[in-house]
Amino acid sequence: MIWFPSHPKKINKELSIYSFSDIETVVIKNIFQSAGIKKVRNRLIANILKRSVNNGVSFWFSTNGIIPDLELLEKLYELNIAEEDKKVNGSYYTPTDVVSYIVKNTIIDNVGSICDPACGSGAFLVESAKFVKQKSNLSYFRIFKELLFGVDILPTSVERTKIMLSLLAILNGEDKDFSFNLCEGDSLVFNWEANFGSKKFDYVVGNPPYVRTKNLRTEVRENIKKWSTANFGNVDLYIPFFELATKITNEKGKIGFITPSTYLTSFNAKLVREFLSSNKFLKRIIDFNGWQVFEGATTYTCITILDKEKSESLEFSLVNSQEKLKDLDTLVFNKIKTDILGGNEWRLLSKEDTEKIFKIENAGSPLFKYVNKFVTGLATLN
């Protein structure tokens, strides 16, 4: 019976009696065994392969018929982030098909520098490296050294990203030591120029951390308020990452994020809506409309593609079925004029729903002709 990829959580639970170092070692050794690779020169990976094998872990994989690959390793990395870090730093595994869609719809022009400001275990950087390799045929050594950049607040995540990228290259015939542009740090207060130079990136992709205001440490709340788009109300952690991405990209930069969709309507996200719409950075929004993208986390999400070259309209689509969620390339988009948007709640709808609401709003007499003020009762927001 092969559980992966349907039940990575079940695999993790079954193996929870072992140390994660033992699990990591067995998975990586099995990956190379399946690929027929007996010797590795890359020192980072070679040191992992020198570890002794836990026979219990090895036996478990063998008896359950599971052949590990990079995607399984990446999922196990994300599942083994401490619960406190998930709560405080908002770390969650992003499904491969969503990562692939964002990468290929953001890096659509010339090959250039790519940054993930909250890289986690490297899902977006791995997919970006594969995409660039396919488009340019550059060596992975050059791609890692010259084009890929990442920051994460967790040192373990930075190390795991290095492992994932190294494994990708080795499995594709490049076995050497690599140079990485990966740093530990809080991206919102990170000294980008000191670490990466004055050059701005061509592309920024990623999955910014999802943390509600009530779960943020005091110092993080203060850091958030330093960003112009977040200096209003009670802003969730992901909000200033939109502004950050526009600051670290060049004048033709493209940005692709998956975030909560709350910024489309939340009162506290008023300033970021004004920022994105007034600068005409909006290119495409896909609202997942309640369909759950992240396993184990009830989060209402959307994909946002931004373009620093500016646009008079944005493309919008609402996912309305599980089938569409699994095949985003089949989505149909409705164009919405940017100048009708602003800081107020964005009502982004399908063409059909827009027409229906127009008919309703233009029938009869509006209530404001009869009532001067509308009020609501107590709202706990729980």
Side-chain angles (χ1 to χ4, degrees), residues 329-345:
D329 289 326
T330 64
L331 290 174
V332 177
F333 290 88
N334 178 34
K335 285 204 169 184
I336 298 173
K337 291 288 186 182
T338 307
D339 57 14
I340 69 171
L341 303 175
N344 294 329
E345 176 181 337

Side-chain angles (χ1 to χ4, degrees), residues 69-356:
D69 61 8
L70 285 184
E71 188 174 352
L72 173 56
L73 180 61
E74 183 189 334
K75 286 192 175 186
L76 291 175
Y77 277 153
E78 294 296 343
L79 287 170
N80 281 276
I81 293 174
E83 288 302 318
E84 182 61 24
D85 285 326
K86 287 182 180 179
K87 180 180 178 181
V88 175
N89 300 315
S91 304
Y92 287 100
Y93 171 80
T94 311
T96 303
D97 55 346
V98 173
V99 175
S100 177
Y101 182 90
I102 292 174
V103 168
K104 71 183 182 183
N105 284 277
T106 305
I107 311 172
I108 56 176
D109 299 320
N110 298 322
V111 170
S113 54
I114 305 159
C115 178
D116 183 346
C119 65
S121 297
F124 279 90
L125 293 179
V126 167
E127 192 64 29
S128 296
K130 289 159 62 176
F131 188 77
V132 171
K133 177 72 172 176
Q134 184 180 16
K135 290 191 71 173
S136 69
N137 203 33
L138 291 170
S139 68
Y140 279 117
F141 182 87
R142 283 192 61 188
I143 293 171
F144 299 162
K145 184 177 182 179
E146 300 173 12
L147 299 180
L148 290 192
F149 300 81
V151 179
D152 198 90
I153 200 166
L154 297 176
T156 52
S157 292
V158 174
E159 186 67 13
R160 289 170 177 178
T161 299
K162 292 178 181 179
I163 292 171
M164 289 294 297
L165 291 171
S166 297
L167 290 173
L168 172 68
I170 295 168
L171 291 170
N172 284 277
E174 285 188 48
D175 184 4
K176 60 179 71 176
D177 291 334
F178 300 102
S179 297
F180 298 106
N181 305 296
L182 301 171
C183 296
E184 175 193 348
D186 180 347
S187 288
L188 297 179
V189 294
F190 187 71
N191 191 329
W192 290 86
E193 187 169 340
N195 285 278
F196 298 139
S198 58
K199 182 181 178 181
K200 300 297 180 88
F201 303 114
D202 296 296
Y203 308 102
V204 169
V205 292
N207 174 15
Y210 304 1
V211 185
R212 295 180 64 183
T213 305
K214 67 178 184 179
N215 293 326
L216 293 174
R217 298 188 299 269
T218 301
E219 63 185 81
V220 178
R221 292 184 190 181
E222 293 174 355
N223 290 336
I224 286 178
K225 296 296 183 183
K226 296 175 183 178
W227 293 86
S228 65
T229 56
N231 191 22
F232 176 80
N234 297 311
V235 175
D236 291 348
L237 184 56
Y238 77 92
I239 292 294
F241 275 81
F242 286 112
E243 185 180 353
L244 166 68
T246 66
K247 300 298 183 187
I248 62 176
T249 46
N250 58 38
E251 67 277 3
K252 295 183 178 181
K254 310 289 189 295
I255 298 154
F257 279 161
I258 178 167
T259 69
S261 56
T262 52
Y263 88 89
L264 302 175
T265 57
S266 168
F267 176 74
N268 295 313
K270 176 182 178 180
L271 296 182
V272 79
R273 286 195 296 270
E274 288 181 351
F275 175 77
L276 296 177
S277 58
S278 64
N279 284 292
K280 299 185 177 180
F281 290 151
L282 295 159
K283 183 179 181 181
R284 175 175 290 186
I285 294 176
I286 298 174
D287 188 344
F288 287 109
N289 191 29
W291 295 98
Q292 295 302 300
V293 173
F294 297 98
E295 185 179 352
T298 303
T299 310
Y300 300 102
T301 55
C302 67
I303 290 173
T304 305
I305 308 291
L306 306 177
D307 191 336
K308 292 279 289 292
E309 291 193 280
K310 303 187 179 184
S311 175
E312 297 299 324
S313 63
L314 72 96
E315 299 173 323
F316 174 75
S317 187
L318 195 68
V319 175
N320 56 16
S321 70
Q322 188 72 32
E323 289 70 28
K324 293 291 185 183
L325 178 63
K326 294 178 180 178
D327 192 359
L328 298 176
D329 289 326
T330 64
L331 290 174
V332 177
F333 290 88
N334 178 34
K335 285 204 169 184
I336 298 173
K337 291 288 186 182
T338 307
D339 57 14
I340 69 171
L341 303 175
N344 294 329
E345 176 181 337
W346 289 353
R347 189 167 63 188
L348 307 179
L349 302 167
S350 66
K351 182 178 180 182
E352 294 75 14
D353 288 343
T354 300
E355 291 173 349
K356 290 176 184 177

Side-chain angles (χ1 to χ4, degrees), residues 13-76:
K13 184 178 180 180
E14 290 281 331
L15 294 172
S16 62
I17 61 174
Y18 303 103
S19 73
F20 186 71
S21 176
D22 286 337
I23 298 169
E24 177 186 55
T25 302
V26 170
V27 168
I28 292 176
K29 286 193 175 187
N30 282 351
I31 287 174
F32 283 120
Q33 184 177 352
S34 299
I37 298 174
K38 297 181 179 180
K39 188 176 181 180
V40 173
R41 289 178 294 178
N42 178 281
R43 284 178 292 180
L44 175 64
I45 304 303
N47 286 334
I48 296 175
L49 297 176
K50 288 177 184 177
R51 298 174 188 164
S52 60
V53 172
N54 184 302
N55 291 330
V57 177
S58 184
F59 180 77
W60 188 92
F61 275 102
S62 177
T63 55
N64 284 283
I66 299 171
I67 303 175
D69 61 8
L70 285 184
E71 188 174 352
L72 173 56
L73 180 61
E74 183 189 334
K75 286 192 175 186
L76 291 175

